[in-house]
Amino acid sequence: MVGWGHASENPKLGDLLTQKSAELGRDITFVGPQSSVMRILGDKIGANLVAQSAGVSVPPWNGDGLPADLDENNRIPQSNFDAACITTEDEAVEAAERVGYPVMLKASEGGGGKGIRMAEDELALRAAWPQVLNEVPGSPVFLVTLCKGARHLEVQVMSDGENAIALGGRDCSTQRRYQKIFEEGPPIVADNDIFVDMMKAACSLCKTLNYKSAG
């Protein structure tokens, strides 16, 4: 296995296991997403860039329309990634005026409620800027429109790097402090046609990254 718990989201572990298998001279296949995939999809900015490049719908954000341009190692060029980052308070205000309030200001490496603030107007956004930076020091920052009344629905996928299939999904909307409490399957809150489109989008994303795993 690539990992369990928090380690399952750490691409360095996958790199280490691959290195050790080469040193031992053994042909070992690790179950889990490739490290390159974890690096991209584990980062919120990178995930948005790859998703919109794959034709997957994403909410309006400061990086609308920017390409991922993945290289042969499934990495986003640094210049592309930097173009999707907000580096100053004034840039955040400019982006919010373009996508429209209310917005969410987010640290790309944040999670569990850290590095995320809602802003209804410019005054609130300027107040949120230092809070987000201080909660996740050194993290890139981006801004996205607030989706009100949203549900957290996930698609289950299986892919061998060439072929990807969707195996239904689950509703993970019941949360406390941005952490899931329980998950329900199948997700019946969305119309079937909508969820079918979601499954197609998930498969498209898998193929873009040559994803090899269950996820």
Side-chain angles (χ1 to χ4, degrees):
M1 292 291 289
V2 166
W4 175 83
H6 291 297
S8 68
E9 301 174 2
N10 189 342
K12 293 181 180 180
L13 180 59
D15 291 339
L16 179 61
L17 295 175
T18 301
Q19 176 185 337
K20 288 299 182 182
S21 65
E23 291 175 357
L24 294 172
R26 297 179 181 178
D27 185 13
I28 302 173
T29 299
F30 296 102
V31 178
Q34 309 98 299
S35 293
S36 60
V37 172
M38 283 195 280
R39 283 193 175 90
I40 290 180
L41 297 187
D43 180 276
K44 299 176 181 66
I45 293 175
N48 273 302
L49 286 174
V50 172
Q52 63 188 17
S53 295
V56 177
S57 175
V58 299
W61 68 300
N62 64 281
D64 280 341
L66 294 177
D69 291 337
L70 298 176
D71 62 20
E72 63 276 7
N73 296 315
N74 255 4
R75 293 181 182 271
I76 298 173
Q78 191 62 46
S79 58
N80 292 36
F81 185 88
D82 291 343
C85 297
I86 294 176
T87 58
T88 68
E89 186 177 310
D90 288 339
E91 285 183 10
V93 171
E94 181 181 350
E97 291 174 349
R98 178 164 55 83
V99 304
Y101 289 99
V103 296
M104 299 295 286
L105 186 67
K106 294 186 176 184
S108 182
E109 298 172 0
K114 290 186 177 181
I116 179 172
R117 288 290 186 280
M118 181 187 73
E120 295 275 2
D121 52 37
E122 179 180 339
L123 184 63
L125 181 56
R126 290 189 181 277
W129 175 259
Q131 295 175 329
V132 169
L133 266 61
N134 291 334
E135 288 182 3
V136 191
S139 170
V141 175
F142 71 108
L143 180 145
V144 61
T145 188
L146 172 67
C147 296
K148 293 186 175 180
R151 304 285 293 196
H152 181 140
L153 306 183
E154 298 184 358
V155 175
Q156 311 303 298
V157 294
M158 184 79 73
S159 178
D160 62 2
E162 296 181 6
N163 304 292
I165 59 173
L167 305 172
R170 54 191 179 182
D171 186 342
C172 310
S173 302
T174 304
Q175 302 183 12
R176 182 175 183 269
R177 296 179 179 177
Y178 302 98
Q179 298 294 320
K180 292 179 284 187
I181 296 177
F182 61 82
E183 303 170 358
E184 302 175 82
I188 59 175
V189 68
D191 291 340
N192 186 65
D193 289 345
I194 292 176
F195 200 77
V196 167
D197 286 341
M198 290 175 61
M199 290 192 291
K200 291 178 180 178
C203 290
S204 176
L205 187 57
C206 287
K207 292 177 181 178
T208 297
L209 294 170
N210 297 315
Y211 186 83
K212 298 177 183 178
S213 186

